């Protein structure tokens, strides 16, 4: 088994934090995005969509998409459960993970990929789309703050993959100069908590 | 328990097809998107992101995000399993579901929301973003066709939620005048198969 990883992007960090929380060690190989190694013939065979991470199993099966990789380990090593402990909690974890990804992560990523001059050779940039998302992303921080309220994590007192997805998103937002504001008291409290877990260094 | 549904959008259809495959009946209430009922005070309490579908449980818990709703039922009524039968298959189903959503569905939805004059009052439209996605969506049909190859479904011989996601996406693509082409022999064969299942009428 081997995990193709990069420290240059947020999604692979989700897998590393997840593995640290589970106490799982997997042999890793760094893919040099700066050198376009993810577009090499060898890597395209692992993932035709040319994205990192990829988990290669011993039988040669390649699993891409960071959530799918986490799902694989959740099934092979359930403890501690990070996808929920009963049907309702599993549904709420999936809901919050998707809300974070589809509304917050996607806004941050679009603002970055379409607005950062350094991404021009990797993305067919649309300036207007960067602007819309640069405006939407802080509104989504407001949404996260309001949604948390007094709750410890996104699904009550239960730390889950949804918190990991939110952590990589909030930290990634630095690339579009978006940070937790003074008005985001709940989000700041949550961020201090999850950033203090040893897994956050992964 | 009640499912807030609409026949005017693709994601609620995913839930209806899924429920039909599982043989699950849930009381439904139609939300009139044409009348902006999803922006009413009553609906915002169910889902602050103002999107349909929402599953309201008997204890008042509201689950939004169509995949989270399907996940809830997968856990409460596992047979027949549509999210995979073992860890590897579950990971591959998640991978394919995400590949379909993130690359194909999102391209079709962006081309529609940003390019269709009828959506102007619902979306801050960016014409350049519509153009990029109007070009990307057919490439993604090529990708689906190549990925299927001779395989019956997206995960081998196993019909899964990933096929349901692909079906709602391919059918939804009619709104951007994109249809399966003569060159898409694998996709056409797959589409005829999954469209022939009784659930496809849901």
């Amino acid at each position: 088994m081997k995990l193709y990883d990069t420290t240059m992007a947020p999604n692979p960090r989700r897998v590393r934090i997840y593995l640290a929380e589970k106490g799982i060690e997997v042999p890793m190989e760094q893919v040099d995005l700066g050198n376009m190694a993810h577009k090499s013939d060898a890597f395209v065979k692992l993932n035709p969509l040319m994205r990192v991470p990829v988990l290669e199993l011993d039988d040669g099966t390649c699993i891409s998409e960071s959530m799918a990789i986490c799902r694989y380990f959740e099934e092979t090593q359930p403890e501690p459960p990070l996808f929920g402990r009963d049907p309702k909690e599993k549904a709420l974890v999936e809901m919050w993970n998707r809300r974070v990804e589809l509304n917050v992560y996607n806004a941050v990523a679009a603002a970055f990929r379409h607005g950062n001059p350094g991404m021009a050779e990797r993305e067919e940039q649309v300036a207007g789309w960067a602007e819309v998302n640069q405006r939407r992303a802080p509104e989504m921080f407001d949404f996260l703050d309001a949604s948390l309220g007094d709750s410890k994590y996104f699904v009550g007192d239960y730390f889950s993959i949804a918190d990991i997805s939110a952590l990589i998103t909030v930290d990634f937002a630095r690339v579009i100069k978006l940070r937790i504001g003074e008005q985001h008291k709940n989000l700041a409290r949550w961020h201090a908590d999850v950033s203090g877990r040893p897994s956050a260094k992964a």
Side-chain angles (χ1 to χ4, degrees), chain A:
Chain A
M1 184 184 289
K2 188 197 285 184
L3 180 64
Y4 293 86
D5 178 48
T6 175
T7 54
M8 295 178 69
N11 277 308
R13 186 181 174 221
R14 170 157 52 186
V15 176
R16 293 195 306 275
I17 294 176
Y18 175 87
L19 292 173
E21 287 284 342
K22 302 284 275 192
I24 297 173
E25 294 196 6
V26 182
M28 294 199 194
E29 181 173 321
Q30 290 295 308
V31 180
D32 186 353
L33 301 195
N35 240 337
M36 299 286 184
H38 56 302
K39 299 199 174 179
S40 68
D41 291 347
F43 194 80
V44 167
K45 281 184 193 148
L46 305 178
N47 182 6
L49 292 171
M50 300 178 282
R51 288 186 200 133
V52 183
V54 172
L55 178 68
E56 187 175 19
L57 303 183
D58 290 339
D59 69 1
T61 303
C62 287
I63 300 166
S64 57
E65 298 297 331
S66 57
M67 284 297 294
I69 293 171
C70 295
R71 177 78 60 191
Y72 177 78
F73 289 113
E74 189 75 4
E75 295 293 330
T76 54
Q77 186 178 315
E79 296 299 326
L82 292 172
F83 280 71
R85 296 163 296 185
D86 60 48
K88 191 168 87 174
E89 199 172 68
K90 287 180 183 183
L92 291 172
V93 168
E94 180 102 34
M95 177 182 85
W96 271 109
N97 195 72
R98 286 182 160 256
R99 282 180 166 178
V100 166
E101 286 190 288
L102 301 179
N103 297 284
V104 200
Y105 180 87
N106 280 2
V108 172
F112 174 61
R113 296 189 68 89
H114 289 271
N116 189 301
M119 295 300 287
E121 64 175 8
R122 292 164 190 263
E123 184 78 40
E124 188 179 347
Q125 294 186 317
V126 178
W129 185 232
E131 284 163 30
V132 164
N133 284 284
Q134 188 73 45
R135 240 180 302 125
R136 190 176 290 169
E139 293 170 6
M140 288 296 112
F141 270 36
D142 298 344
F143 169 69
L144 291 182
D145 186 75
S147 301
L148 273 169
D150 294 331
S151 178
K152 188 168 186 188
Y153 301 117
F154 282 96
V155 181
D157 286 340
Y158 174 65
F159 178 85
S160 75
I161 186 80
D163 295 289
I164 298 176
S165 293
L167 177 62
I168 63 156
T169 300
V170 167
D171 289 347
F172 179 45
R174 282 177 293 202
V175 299
I176 62 162
K177 297 187 169 49
L178 172 61
R179 287 182 170 82
I180 294 172
E182 284 191 11
Q183 74 277 30
H184 298 135
K185 298 206 186 312
N186 304 316
L187 191 59
R189 188 243 320 136
W190 166 88
H191 187 259
D193 180 316
V194 295
S195 297
R197 298 172 77 97
S199 64
K201 296 189 183 68

